[in-house]
Amino acid sequence: MLVELSEWFWQERLWFPEGLGWADLEDRDGRVYAKGRDLWVALPIALVFLIIRQIFERTVATPLASLLGVKETVRLKAPHIPSLESYYCRVTKNPTQTGYSERQVQRWFRRRRNQDRPSLLKKFREASWRFTFYLLAFIAGLAALIDVSTTLLPSQYWYYMIELGFYGSLLFSVASDVKRKDFKEQIVHHVATILLISFSWCVNYIRAGTLIMLVHDSSDYFLESAKMFNYAGWRNACNYIFIIFAAVFIVTRLIFFPFWIIYWTWVYPVTIYPPFFGYYFFNGLLMVLQCLHIFWAVLIIRIAIRFLTNNVSKTYQGGVKLVRAGKKGLVKKGRQRRQDGIP
């Protein structure tokens, strides 16, 4: 049954246009093509990433956090009350009636929720790990994209496997990572990215896949660096880097991605061959990513507007204070001159 299911899943009419098939991707005349079986390498790479991350966070991220002044606040632990603990874990973290006095319950649940919140150090270490990977991946992606060839190159192979392994490691560690408000969207993004990378590798869409990964890595390291400075309390650095991130994100994911990449994968191919399942599958995943880009862009623009508005407000208030201080100084100086008999 598994053999029949595999044969049905990999049949050529699903993944290739009419007239093409798996035989066209066999190595010949010195040309090497991507193979689906290569993707298994990403699993041990994902596990290696989990190990490297632990070493990195302890030996690099933690000393860096101390150097940048990341400070931890002492959190009071909630006393162990079995009935409240059971209610907290099984029912809700925001209770209304539990049998205890309202003030006692509010205090206990507030402290208990604080215990579950990730520390600044944990957030900083996670952000520094992602910043390091996204920056190095962006540089590697540029090298892989510039390296033009008609055959599969070792640089392209390792770039694909490392990217796929990294996103696999993010799925493996999702339970222990900091849970954010866009947790569900992040899971959808990671799954869609893994499917895109895998599919583009199997059908030899190497250049398109490389370009898609490069576009995503181009802005992510700005975001993670902004988070690092935010956790360290460097507000101005965080705000300015975030504005740069917002600009790069909008240009790459709301302009370049839909009007360049999706155009060449959605519009151009149908001028050469009729649509097929693989065509819809690939572009469907791209549209999922684009919907997520729009969702995140709205959040990013709101934050950027809030930052710019606050800056203008502070500048205006500072100007008003300077004008008032100047007027007070002139009045005081005039009184002093009159007292001294100076006209």
Side-chain angles (χ1 to χ4, degrees):
M1 182 177 178
L2 291 177
V3 175
E4 293 177 354
L5 182 61
S6 176
E7 290 178 353
W8 174 85
F9 182 80
W10 294 110
Q11 57 184 314
E12 295 178 344
R13 68 182 183 88
L14 289 178
W15 307 110
F16 291 92
E18 187 176 354
L20 297 177
W22 297 111
D24 296 287
L25 297 182
E26 294 294 331
D27 299 344
R28 63 170 66 86
D29 300 328
R31 298 182 64 177
V32 179
Y33 294 94
K35 306 292 188 301
R37 59 179 177 271
D38 296 335
L39 298 177
W40 291 107
V41 177
L43 288 177
I45 291 178
L47 297 177
V48 171
F49 264 126
L50 294 176
I51 298 173
I52 294 176
R53 174 178 174 175
Q54 294 298 318
I55 298 173
F56 175 88
E57 290 185 353
R58 294 181 181 180
T59 61
V60 178
T62 301
L64 181 60
S66 178
L67 182 64
L68 293 179
V70 177
K71 298 179 180 180
E72 287 294 333
T73 56
V74 179
R75 297 177 179 176
L76 297 175
K77 291 185 177 181
H80 181 67
I81 304 178
S83 58
L84 291 181
E85 185 69 28
S86 176
Y87 194 93
Y88 178 88
C89 296
R90 298 179 182 180
V91 182
T92 179
K93 297 181 180 180
N94 298 280
T96 55
Q97 295 180 351
T98 60
Y100 291 85
S101 69
E102 183 178 353
R103 181 172 295 180
Q104 285 180 318
V105 170
Q106 289 179 349
R107 184 186 302 115
W108 190 92
F109 274 84
R110 183 169 57 252
R111 291 182 179 179
R112 186 62 182 83
R113 286 193 298 269
N114 285 335
Q115 286 180 218
D116 287 346
R117 289 173 182 168
S119 64
L120 279 180
L121 181 59
K122 178 178 176 62
K123 292 179 179 180
F124 181 90
R125 293 193 302 188
E126 183 177 314
S128 61
W129 163 248
R130 297 192 183 195
F131 164 77
T132 303
F133 176 83
Y134 289 137
L135 179 60
L136 295 177
F138 176 68
I139 297 172
L142 285 176
L145 193 65
I146 294 172
D147 202 354
V148 180
S149 177
T150 57
T151 186
L152 179 65
L153 299 173
S155 60
Q156 295 171 327
Y157 171 84
W158 285 111
Y159 177 65
Y160 252 80
M161 296 304 111
I162 289 174
E163 283 273 3
L164 186 58
F166 176 75
Y167 280 102
S169 70
L170 291 181
L171 282 182
F172 292 154
S173 63
V174 69
S176 59
D177 286 345
V178 176
K179 191 172 183 179
R180 298 182 174 84
K181 295 180 180 179
D182 61 345
F183 174 77
K184 294 180 181 179
E185 290 79 9
Q186 285 284 356
I187 294 296
V188 173
H189 174 270
H190 295 341
V191 172
T193 301
I194 289 173
L195 291 175
L196 268 173
I197 295 173
S198 302
F199 177 73
S200 63
W201 178 263
C202 289
V203 296
N204 210 53
Y205 292 173
I206 304 300
R207 305 234 1 125
T210 301
L211 189 57
I212 292 169
M213 290 186 286
L214 180 65
V215 165
H216 284 77
D217 292 335
S218 64
S219 61
D220 286 343
Y221 64 90
F222 283 115
L223 175 61
E224 299 303 330
S225 61
K227 290 179 182 179
M228 292 168 62
F229 284 113
N230 179 50
Y231 301 144
W234 296 31
R235 304 302 181 192
N236 288 335
C238 168
N239 291 336
Y240 291 122
I241 293 176
F242 185 84
I243 293 299
I244 296 174
F245 157 73
V248 175
F249 185 96
I250 291 172
V251 170
T252 55
R253 303 202 192 187
L254 297 187
I255 299 176
F256 185 79
F257 187 82
F259 296 108
W260 182 264
I261 295 180
I262 293 183
Y263 173 83
W264 286 107
T265 60
W266 189 284
V267 178
Y268 176 72
V270 295
T271 63
I272 303 175
Y273 44 75
F276 56 101
F277 175 78
Y279 163 85
Y280 292 115
F281 179 75
F282 186 72
N283 286 287
L285 291 174
L286 292 181
M287 292 306 297
V288 170
L289 290 182
Q290 186 56 35
C291 290
L292 292 174
H293 295 166
I294 296 173
F295 169 78
W296 283 319
V298 172
L299 301 180
I300 291 168
I301 292 173
R302 286 179 180 175
I303 296 174
I305 292 175
R306 189 186 312 153
F307 161 69
L308 294 174
T309 303
N310 289 341
N311 263 13
V312 171
S313 177
K314 289 179 181 178
T315 303
Y316 173 75
Q317 292 174 2
V320 170
K321 289 181 180 179
L322 287 175
V323 171
R324 289 177 178 174
K327 287 181 178 179
K328 288 181 180 179
L330 289 174
V331 172
K332 186 177 181 181
K333 187 175 181 181
R335 289 176 180 173
Q336 186 66 38
R337 288 173 65 89
R338 286 193 298 271
Q339 291 174 0
D340 294 339
I342 300 175

